[in-house]
Amino acid sequence: MIPVAIESLDALPLIAILRGLTPDEAVEVGEAIVAAGFTCLEVPLNSPQPLESIRRLRAALDGRALIGAGTVLSAEAARQVAEAGGQLVISPNTDAEVIRQTKALGLLSLPGFFTPSEAFVALDAGADALKLFPAEVAGPKGLKAVRAILPAATRVYAVGGVDPDSMDGWRVAGASGFGIGSAVFKPGQSAEQTGRNAQAFVAAWRREG
């Protein structure tokens, strides 16, 4: 597998959101998702011992997948993610301080937005890409409208309510990629089932690409 470069999100169209992941299952679940074709994994900070899961995933998958943290709500939390070996900071909101701290730490920044104003605040603060959240509320029409006023090179990930059958509509509207949560992983779910779920999204991405 080609090593994953931290400098860019261009080769990372699918992000697996592993909310509820525990450290003891982290590597097995991570390996199953990477084997399916994902190259970016996110452990939300409201999961059990998220920093330990990030440490284990980074050690096991370094060079094969980018490991990040989600639900990062403060600059201090971003610093803790960096210390744990995280490479990507994802938030549900637009917080310029978190974005600036993330970039100062040398990590990739993917903040959440819902309005054009939030999108431009995030970009001005140095965000590498944007996360449209909750995507199911905005819908593809909402994304298309925002796309019309964003810089053309802006990468926008649709997060929330996306399934393999709806991905094509989102891509036509301008989605650069997707963050996939419970449709890939749920707490207590086996690594095997998680891998099968991930394969369905990878197949849909490649089919519609």
Side-chain angles (χ1 to χ4, degrees):
M1 181 177 291
I2 298 173
V4 176
I6 189 173
E7 292 83 5
S8 174
L9 285 162
D10 291 347
L12 304 170
L14 301 175
I15 301 173
I17 303 170
L18 307 179
R19 192 177 306 279
L21 185 75
T22 64
D24 288 344
E25 66 185 338
V27 173
E28 184 180 15
V29 168
E31 289 282 6
I33 293 172
V34 170
F38 276 68
T39 52
C40 190
L41 310 181
E42 167 197 338
V43 181
L45 292 187
N46 56 0
S47 302
Q49 297 179 268
L51 298 176
E52 180 59 25
S53 290
I54 290 170
R55 288 189 187 95
R56 296 187 188 188
L57 286 168
R58 178 69 191 277
L61 301 173
D62 194 31
R64 294 188 288 146
L66 199 72
I67 307 302
T71 319
V72 181
L73 302 177
S74 69
E76 172 60 20
R79 185 189 62 78
Q80 293 173 354
V81 170
E83 291 178 350
Q87 299 158 289
L88 171 66
V89 166
I90 303 174
S91 302
N93 61 331
T94 301
D95 187 318
E97 182 182 5
V98 172
I99 297 167
R100 286 192 290 266
Q101 173 71 305
T102 297
K103 298 311 299 175
L105 292 164
L107 310 186
L108 290 169
S109 171
L110 183 54
F113 83 100
F114 193 75
T115 68
S117 294
E118 292 171 337
F120 281 105
V121 167
L123 293 174
D124 288 345
D128 295 285
L130 302 176
K131 163 186 168 179
L132 177 61
F133 179 79
E136 66 263 48
V137 177
K141 289 183 179 180
L143 172 59
K144 184 177 180 180
V146 173
R147 265 293 192 197
I149 50 89
L150 290 176
T154 305
R155 294 187 62 80
V156 179
Y157 287 74
V159 180
V162 177
D163 59 42
D165 293 334
S166 66
M167 287 172 65
D168 186 48
W170 280 105
R171 293 178 76 175
V172 170
S176 309
F178 301 92
I180 313 297
S182 60
V184 167
F185 173 81
K186 297 177 182 177
Q189 181 175 281
S190 70
E192 292 77 13
Q193 182 61 55
T194 299
R196 288 192 292 270
N197 294 346
Q199 287 171 3
F201 280 94
V202 172
W205 176 267
R206 292 173 177 168
R207 181 174 62 249
E208 296 159 4

